[in-house]
C-alpha cells in the first residue's frame, strides 16, 4: 500500500462493545497508556499501525470476559508507551486498533513489540483480513514535536 492510500485508510471507528481510551494528541517522547473496555467475551488483540505502514502487535488473543477493563501497558511495570517521531518528522499519526473475536486468530504475520528491540513489519493490509467476524474499534493519535 502506498503512503497516500495508507493515510486515507487511517480512521477512527467506535464499536459500542469495545471502547478504547487513548489521548488524541501527544508530544514527541510523551508516555501514555491505552484503556480498553470490552462488553463481550472473546479474545482481545491490540495493534498499532504507524503512518509509514509499520505495524506493531502489542498483544494478541488475550482471553477477555464480558465487562473487562484493562490498561496497556501495565502501569505497575512500565512508564507507558512512548509517542515517537523519527528525526525527519515534525508530526505523525498513529492508529491503534482493538479487536475482540469469538475465536483465536493467527497473528503470526505481525511482529510482537519488544521492550528491548523495536522491530516492525509492513503488514498493514493483513489487519483487514483479521477483522472479519470481530468487533473492532480504532483511534488515531496525533504526535507533534
Amino acid at each position: 500500500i502506498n503512503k497516500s492510500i495508507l493515510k486515507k485508510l487511517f480512521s477512527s471507528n467506535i464499536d459500542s462493545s469495545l471502547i478504547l481510551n487513548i489521548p488524541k494528541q501527544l508530544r514527541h517522547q510523551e508516555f501514555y497508556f491505552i484503556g480498553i473496555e470490552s462488553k463481550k467475551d472473546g479474545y482481545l488483540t491490540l495493534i498499532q499501525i504507524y503512518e509509514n505502514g509499520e505495524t506493531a502487535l502489542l498483544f494478541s488473543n488475550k482471553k477477555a470476559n464480558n465487562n473487562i477493563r484493562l490498561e496497556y501497558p501495565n502501569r505497575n511495570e512500565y512508564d507507558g508507551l512512548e509517542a515517537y517521531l523519527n528525526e525527519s518528522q515534525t508530526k505523525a499519526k498513529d492508529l491503534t486498533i482493538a479487536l475482540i473475536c469469538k475465536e483465536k486468530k493467527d497473528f503470526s504475520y505481525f511482529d510482537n513489540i519488544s521492550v528491548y528491540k523495536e522491530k516492525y513489519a509492513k503488514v498493514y493490509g493483513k489487519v483487514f483480513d483479521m477483522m472479519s467476524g470481530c468487533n473492532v474499534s480504532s483511534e488515531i493519535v496525533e504526535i507533534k514535536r
Side-chain angles (χ1 to χ4, degrees):
I1 296 175
N2 70 38
K3 195 170 185 174
S4 65
I5 293 172
L6 183 63
K7 283 185 177 184
K8 289 176 187 172
L9 293 173
F10 263 51
S11 65
S12 292
N13 175 64
I14 306 301
D15 184 301
S16 60
S17 63
L18 185 60
I19 299 164
L20 281 173
N21 184 9
I22 305 172
K24 304 292 185 248
Q25 292 188 345
L26 294 164
R27 307 289 301 166
H28 173 61
Q29 295 184 317
E30 183 177 351
F31 288 95
Y32 68 101
F33 293 88
I34 300 170
I36 306 160
E37 247 181 274
S38 174
K39 297 178 182 174
K40 294 186 100 174
D41 291 339
Y43 295 92
L44 185 62
T45 298
L46 194 62
I47 300 170
Q48 281 194 321
I49 301 173
Y50 307 104
E51 201 169 74
N52 65 1
E54 292 175 339
T55 305
L57 182 63
L58 301 181
F59 63 81
S60 64
N61 294 314
K62 181 180 180 92
K63 182 70 177 146
N65 296 323
N66 186 17
N67 293 321
I68 189 173
R69 288 180 182 209
L70 60 98
E71 186 175 62
Y72 182 86
N74 183 331
R75 195 175 290 265
N76 296 326
E77 297 176 20
Y78 300 99
D79 293 330
L81 295 172
E82 185 177 8
Y84 180 78
L85 297 172
N86 65 37
E87 290 179 17
S88 65
Q89 293 176 303
T90 57
K91 64 180 181 175
K93 291 181 180 178
D94 293 348
L95 179 67
T96 301
I97 300 173
L99 306 152
I100 189 135
C101 308
K102 291 179 183 176
E103 298 176 1
K104 287 184 177 183
K105 297 248 182 179
D106 179 9
F107 289 95
S108 60
Y109 295 112
F110 302 94
D111 289 318
N112 286 302
I113 196 164
S114 167
V115 293
Y116 302 107
K117 181 182 177 189
E118 291 184 351
K119 179 184 171 193
Y120 307 110
K122 291 191 177 182
V123 290
Y124 181 78
K126 299 253 184 231
V127 173
F128 294 106
D129 297 338
M130 306 311 289
M131 291 180 182
S132 179
C134 301
N135 294 79
V136 180
S137 285
S138 61
E139 287 288 343
I140 295 172
V141 175
E142 189 171 334
I143 303 166
K144 295 181 179 179
R145 285 216 182 265

